[in-house]
Amino acid sequence: MNFFQLEVFLHVVEHGSFTKAGDRIGLTQSGVSHNITALETELGVTLLKRDRKGITLTTAGEQVIPHMRAIAANLAHIEQKIAAVNGMEIGKITIGSFPSFTAKFIPKLFSIFKEKYPNIDLLIHEGGYEEILKWTEEGTVDIGFAAKPVKNVEFIPLLNDPLSAIVYEGHPLSGKSVLNLKDFIDQPFIMLRSGCETLIEDRFLEAKIKPNISYDIKDNQTVLSMVAGKLGITIMPDLALPEKPEHIKRLPLYPELSREIGLVMKSSKHLSPVAMEFTKVVQGHFIG
């Protein structure tokens, strides 16, 4: 087994496609297939299943991929350390982020980092909290941005993002200055299922109120469109709201409810040098 075969295998798993993996590393589809076959032959096991649904890991693949990712990470660390000794900065950082954080903060954070380290490649995987935590734990991403609660990862707090009630213009509650949970009783409720639902459900449970959930929706914009269409009201993070919302009104909640957003990583002790530098840039931006 050589490092290039390992790199090819990890790219196939990451992209779920021989063609996409080949495009990333400059190989034809047959070249990717040849390297995977050679790796499987040398190891004596089948690592990937190929069917109509796409490419997935076999049981053997699931068992070895954490070790392969660790080998790749260690080799990347060595390259970065040697480059630093020679006065150069090389490498890449793979980052997990959720949509509202990506839109609001990632362009600025990437711009700050690239100004200081122009030769470092920054890659981003976007998903929900659970996906980001899974990617972080498995090593698919070096670091991620997510909100509490988290488990099996380290968490560095960055900011608190308030959650607010969102009603449509002309709604009977739209004239109030603040809403409490009793105001939601018997109101058609649209639950945003992007990660914050745990906070919302726990708050309703504490108040002994069962919301009248009419829709469960994962996409922020879809929820806002449904509220604007007078299909119900909702609670969602301020970060997910457009700067100039149309046909909807934001109302603060009482008592206040917020999500704590932070950096997540498998282990700060094992971050690559360039990933550690990125965390410093992030902390400097939010914490100072």
Side-chain angles (χ1 to χ4, degrees):
M1 179 178 69
N2 60 52
F3 179 63
F4 186 69
Q5 292 171 343
L6 180 66
E7 184 181 15
V8 172
F9 173 71
L10 291 175
H11 275 291
V12 170
V13 174
E14 179 181 348
H15 296 288
S17 162
F18 279 26
T19 302
K20 291 179 181 178
D23 290 342
R24 179 65 186 170
I25 54 181
L27 283 179
T28 62
Q29 183 175 344
S30 61
V32 173
S33 180
H34 173 76
N35 277 277
I36 296 297
T37 300
L39 178 62
E40 291 178 327
T41 300
E42 187 171 344
L43 294 177
V45 293
T46 301
L47 299 172
L48 298 172
K49 291 184 289 188
R50 308 163 182 83
D51 54 34
R52 293 178 182 177
K53 295 180 181 179
I55 296 171
T56 56
L57 289 166
T58 63
T59 301
E62 292 279 5
Q63 292 176 347
V64 302
I65 194 166
H67 304 287
M68 290 183 169
R69 284 180 173 139
I71 291 170
N74 286 333
L75 286 172
H77 291 191
I78 292 170
E79 290 176 349
Q80 291 166 24
K81 289 288 188 183
I82 292 172
V85 169
N86 291 327
M88 299 182 295
E89 293 290 350
I90 63 169
K92 69 174 183 178
I93 311 169
T94 306
I95 297 152
S97 180
F98 55 95
S100 57
F101 188 92
T102 302
K104 184 73 174 181
F105 296 114
I106 287 296
K108 180 64 175 178
L109 293 173
F110 277 21
S111 177
I112 295 171
F113 186 82
K114 291 293 283 186
E115 186 174 344
K116 190 174 182 181
Y117 301 104
N119 297 321
I120 306 298
D121 292 328
L122 297 172
L123 309 177
I124 188 162
H125 289 213
E126 195 172 72
Y129 300 158
E130 290 185 5
E131 289 176 298
I132 294 164
L133 295 175
K134 183 173 182 287
W135 294 334
T136 304
E137 193 174 354
E138 291 179 346
T140 302
V141 300
D142 299 301
I143 53 180
F145 296 98
K148 281 187 172 182
V150 301
K151 59 181 180 179
N152 302 324
V153 295
E154 291 185 25
F155 182 88
I156 299 174
L158 297 175
L159 72 152
N160 283 305
D161 182 27
L163 274 68
S164 300
I166 310 299
V167 303
Y168 53 83
E169 290 180 348
H171 188 280
L173 296 173
S174 62
K176 302 191 72 170
S177 59
V178 64
L179 294 188
N180 60 55
L181 294 190
K182 291 182 180 179
D183 292 316
F184 289 87
I185 295 175
D186 297 329
Q187 293 288 339
F189 190 82
I190 304 169
M191 180 64 82
L192 175 61
R193 297 283 178 186
S194 64
C196 290
E197 65 270 18
T198 302
L199 291 173
I200 298 168
E201 289 169 341
D202 286 349
R203 181 58 65 87
F204 274 119
L205 191 61
E206 290 170 7
K208 298 181 180 179
I209 294 172
K210 186 176 181 180
N212 177 24
I213 299 175
S214 300
Y215 303 96
D216 289 291
I217 306 295
K218 289 185 177 180
D219 181 70
N220 297 332
Q221 188 55 50
T222 301
V223 171
L224 292 171
S225 296
M226 293 180 76
V227 173
K230 302 183 178 181
L231 295 174
I233 63 177
T234 192
I235 295 174
M236 64 191 306
D238 286 2
L239 198 59
L241 299 176
E243 290 187 11
K244 297 180 180 179
E246 295 182 355
H247 310 302
I248 60 173
K249 185 173 182 180
R250 171 195 167 276
L251 297 170
L253 293 171
Y254 181 82
E256 294 180 353
L257 178 63
S258 65
R259 61 176 175 174
E260 187 174 18
I261 297 171
L263 270 170
V264 292
M265 60 202 73
K266 191 171 184 180
S267 170
S268 57
K269 294 180 180 178
H270 298 108
L271 280 180
S272 69
V274 293
M276 182 62 74
E277 287 303 309
F278 184 78
T279 65
K280 290 178 182 177
V281 167
V282 172
Q283 288 178 276
H285 181 73
F286 285 103
I287 302 171

